[in-house]
Structure formats: C-alpha cells, structure tokens
Amino acid sequence: IIIMVNIILVPLWTAMAIQPNLLQAKGIQVLPPVNFTLTVTALAEVLLHWKPNPDQHQNYTVIYEVEIITPVQEEYNTKHTHSTRTVVLHDGFCAQVRTRLSYNNSQIESEWVTEELPALAGDAGTSVTNLFCIVYTASYNTASLHCSWLAGEHAPTDTVYFLFYRYNNYTEQCPDYLKDKWQRNVGCRFSKTYIDPKQIDTLIIIHVNGSSKHAAIKPLEQLFNQNTIEKINPPRNVTISLEQNDILVTWEKPISPFPKAWFCYEVTIHNLKTGKNQLSKSTSNDFRFRMDVTSRYSIQIRANRQYDEGFWSEWTDPLFIGEEQKENQVGWVLILVTVTMCFITLLIAMACKMCHLWSRLFPPIPTPKNNLKDLFSAKDYEVNIF
C-alpha cells in the first residue's frame, strides 16, 4: 500500500512543482503596471491608480496584487486598475502593486512597483495628543459630535488648532471650540452633524491641524468607528410598581433608531435602611426583585448596546419606593437627643469646674456673730451702778 501511495503522489507532486513554471516555460514575460500614482482625494483617503503595461501579452487572465506597507500593512487582489483606501496619512503612506498572470492554474508575477506619500510637514511634538470623541444621538435622525484633546508638548502658547471631521462624503470644520488657559483650542462641539445614527460601523475621520508664529504645527488624523464612540441615551419612562412583596421596574429603550432587542441594561438598587447597593444586568425592559417591607429603596437604570463597545448612558434620575418603620426612626432620634444632652451637660460641668463659676454664682452664707458669748469671755469690763 505504501508503494502504491508513493507511485500516485510522486507524479502529482512533480506536476505541482512544474506547474507554476508553465508560463515561464512558454516564454511568457510578465510586465509590471505603469503610471502608478497615489492621490489624496479627501481627509485620510488615498486613491491608488495604475495602468496595464502596454507591452503585456493580453491572452491571459490578469490580476493585480496590491500591498499597503504603511501606515497599516494590508494585502489584497483586484482586477481593477484603481483602489481607494481610508487610512491616516499624517505619518505618510507607502504601497506597491504588481501584475499576476494566470493560465491553467499556473501563475507568474511581475516585479513590484512602489510609490509613497511623505509624512505631513510639521515640527515634532506639536501635534495634538489624547484625541477623544463622543457621538450623541439627539433624535432618531440627528447626532452631535464632541471632541477633546491636549496641546502638543512642544506646541507654542500661540498655537491655534483647527478640527475637521469627515463622514462619508461630507467634511466640516468645527464651529465651536473650547479653550485652555493659554486660549488654545482643546475641544470642539458640533451640535448638528451629517452623522447618520442608523449606520453601523461607519468611520468618522478626525483631522486636527494648526498654526503658530513660532513653529510648524504637525497635523494629526484619527479614525473612529461610529458605533464604538456613541454615548447611549438613558432609558425612558421608568416606572416602579409594588406587587405584594415584589418591586417591578419597567422602562422603554433609549432614543435610538435601533430595535429594543439590541440593548442591555444595568439596574442599581440602593437600600436606604442598610446602605447596601445591588447591581443587576438585564436584556429585557423590566426587572423584578423581592423587597424588605421595612426598608426604602432608590432605583436607577442605565443602557448600552449589546453588540458594540459604545459608552454606557448616564444613570436615570433615582426613583424611590418603600417606607422605613417609624418606631425605628423615633428610637434613633431619642437615642441621639439623649447622647447629645449628656454630652452638653458634661461640657458645662467641666467648664464650671475649670472657671470656679459655681462658687461665684453661689457664694457661702456667712455665720452670724455671737455678741453675748464675746461679752462674758472678755477679761476687762466695767459695771455701772445707778
């Protein structure tokens, strides 16, 4: 059996080894593309374009291999002579392309043709850092965008930064900036944008450049996934009801174009009597828990989407339910009053002792003098006889 397998595999292996050289054996020459160019067509968008070599033999299937070298390595094939990529360009861009011919499962490639875009001009340490953006869904069809950043370590105090965002084919400059103590722009607010809340995994391109009299400010570009930077709205219409000894909490999904099945929730329950907090998760729009009838509760809810890495919403305003027993409250009040009175009495006694205030307020009553006793005890006296 081993001998038969070897007899079968050896010719197959030999054919596979020879097959890739079939085109070369026929004397077919594969020529690289010509007129390979890189063109920046929008913020963080570059168009790769080339033309087939005019001297290339046309009787074979032609495929082009494209390799992005920087800023992020990527390889792909295409039958077209152009390709568009969305990448950050502040540190430059480099790509290469080559021709591949295919015939009867045999392939042969040309040499690579390489082009690059230089890094955007600017002094080191002047571009913004810690760029951070959040999308807020204002309604089912509109969204706002808020961004913040820190000035570059070597950015002069007179630096003026400018922020632009691109969403699909729309590009806008920031209309409202926030400033630091040197009056440099370090934040931006777009109250209305072209961002579509119904879109999924759409890129938001942020570009920040600047100007200064003392330095060349280097631009910075950053790509954000729309869904991962969205700040979810809080749940709506939260209600609390009491069913025997159970508390039932219900709510509606946040303002969002996505269905309620996409959302998850966290419910925090604070027992005002014991001071304990309970945090529970839910994927439905209601939550039930057993209550202590002697306690009062504070309940809040927040929301997020299950399938994204967006930001949790703010907590809803607290709702209260339940009553603490009054006798417990009165008992604590009496204990507090008693302790307070004892403490005040102790302080007064200590003050009186230290200042001899008691003897001054209540001096001792003097003992009256006994004149008759003094008379008989005198040694010298006279008796007058009339």
Side-chain angles (χ1 to χ4, degrees):
I1 296 175
I2 296 176
I3 296 175
M4 292 179 64
V5 171
N6 288 335
I7 293 175
I8 295 173
L9 292 179
V10 169
L12 180 61
W13 177 261
T14 305
M16 292 176 63
I18 296 175
Q19 198 170 20
N21 298 321
L22 181 60
L23 291 173
Q24 292 178 341
K26 289 188 175 184
I28 301 299
Q29 184 178 11
V30 184
L31 302 175
V34 296
N35 298 337
F36 181 35
T37 59
L38 303 176
T39 305
V40 178
T41 54
L43 293 180
E45 182 179 271
V46 59
L47 172 64
L48 295 76
H49 187 270
W50 59 90
K51 292 183 179 180
N53 195 303
D55 298 327
Q56 182 63 59
H57 198 282
Q58 302 297 320
N59 292 336
Y60 302 94
T61 302
V62 176
I63 297 177
Y64 297 101
E65 294 184 38
V66 182
E67 181 180 3
I68 309 300
I69 301 174
T70 58
V72 179
Q73 190 170 8
E74 180 186 4
E75 297 180 3
Y76 58 94
N77 298 329
T78 178
K79 294 182 179 181
H80 303 289
T81 58
H82 57 84
S83 176
T84 301
R85 281 295 179 270
T86 300
V87 292
V88 295
L89 299 174
H90 57 267
D91 286 332
F93 180 86
C94 182
Q96 57 186 9
V97 61
R98 67 180 177 181
T99 307
R100 176 193 291 176
L101 293 186
S102 298
Y103 177 75
N104 287 342
N105 295 326
S106 178
Q107 296 180 352
I108 185 172
E109 299 87 7
S110 71
E111 298 293 329
W112 289 103
V113 178
T114 305
E115 285 291 330
E116 64 178 326
L117 295 171
L120 299 181
D123 296 338
T126 59
S127 59
V128 301
T129 61
N130 292 42
L131 179 59
F132 176 75
C133 294
I134 296 181
V135 172
Y136 295 92
T137 300
S139 67
Y140 289 99
N141 297 314
T142 61
S144 61
L145 176 66
H146 295 189
C147 295
S148 63
W149 59 87
L150 298 177
E153 181 181 3
H154 301 299
T157 55
D158 72 333
T159 300
V160 181
Y161 289 112
F162 304 98
L163 181 140
F164 301 81
Y165 88 93
R166 180 171 72 85
Y167 186 81
N168 293 330
N169 296 325
Y170 300 101
T171 301
E172 281 190 293
Q173 181 179 358
C174 179
D176 184 17
Y177 288 102
L178 304 175
K179 300 181 181 295
D180 64 7
K181 63 181 180 180
W182 290 288
Q183 296 302 303
R184 296 181 298 192
N185 296 335
V186 291
C188 168
R189 293 176 294 196
F190 292 90
S191 58
K192 293 183 179 180
T193 65
Y194 289 102
I195 297 172
D196 186 356
K198 299 185 294 295
Q199 294 295 317
I200 299 176
D201 294 333
T202 303
L203 288 178
I204 300 175
I205 294 91
I206 303 296
H207 175 98
V208 184
N209 57 26
S211 64
S212 169
K213 296 180 180 179
H214 307 288
I217 307 303
K218 185 177 177 63
L220 175 77
E221 291 180 337
Q222 193 164 333
L223 309 182
F224 294 96
N225 184 305
Q226 170 184 337
N227 303 118
T228 59
I229 63 170
E230 180 183 356
K231 179 78 169 181
I232 307 300
N233 289 303
R236 298 173 297 152
N237 299 331
V238 182
T239 61
I240 302 177
S241 59
L242 184 61
E243 297 182 357
Q244 295 181 352
N245 288 336
D246 286 348
I247 294 178
L248 177 63
V249 188
T250 61
W251 60 87
E252 295 180 10
K253 77 176 184 71
I255 294 177
S256 171
F258 297 104
K260 65 179 183 180
W262 285 38
F263 292 92
C264 60
Y265 305 92
E266 286 187 345
V267 182
T268 180
I269 304 166
H270 178 63
N271 189 319
L272 300 176
K273 175 184 176 181
T274 63
K276 293 183 179 180
N277 286 319
Q278 175 185 341
L279 181 65
S280 301
K281 297 183 181 294
S282 175
T283 55
S284 63
N285 287 65
D286 57 72
F287 183 78
R288 182 188 298 268
F289 70 97
R290 180 60 57 93
M291 70 173 295
D292 177 1
V293 294
T294 66
S295 298
R296 182 171 173 78
Y297 296 90
S298 168
I299 300 172
Q300 293 177 282
I301 308 170
R302 66 177 183 173
N304 201 354
R305 281 204 297 269
Q306 297 189 61
Y307 308 107
D308 299 308
E309 298 178 358
F311 300 108
W312 283 91
S313 73
E314 298 295 333
W315 291 101
T316 57
D317 293 333
L319 295 179
F320 299 90
I321 192 171
E323 294 292 340
E324 295 185 41
Q325 291 183 349
K326 294 183 179 180
E327 54 269 20
N328 291 342
Q329 296 178 358
V330 172
W332 281 108
V333 171
L334 291 177
I335 293 174
L336 181 62
V337 170
T338 303
V339 172
T340 303
M341 293 299 297
C342 292
F343 183 71
I344 293 175
T345 303
L346 179 62
L347 289 179
I348 293 175
M350 292 177 63
C352 292
K353 184 176 181 180
M354 293 176 62
C355 301
H356 303 286
L357 185 59
W358 186 267
S359 60
R360 293 181 182 180
L361 291 177
F362 304 100
I365 300 174
T367 303
K369 188 174 182 181
N370 191 340
N371 293 329
L372 182 60
K373 180 179 180 179
D374 293 340
L375 176 62
F376 286 103
S377 62
K379 293 182 180 180
D380 299 321
Y381 61 87
E382 296 179 357
V383 178
N384 296 321
I385 302 174
F386 297 98

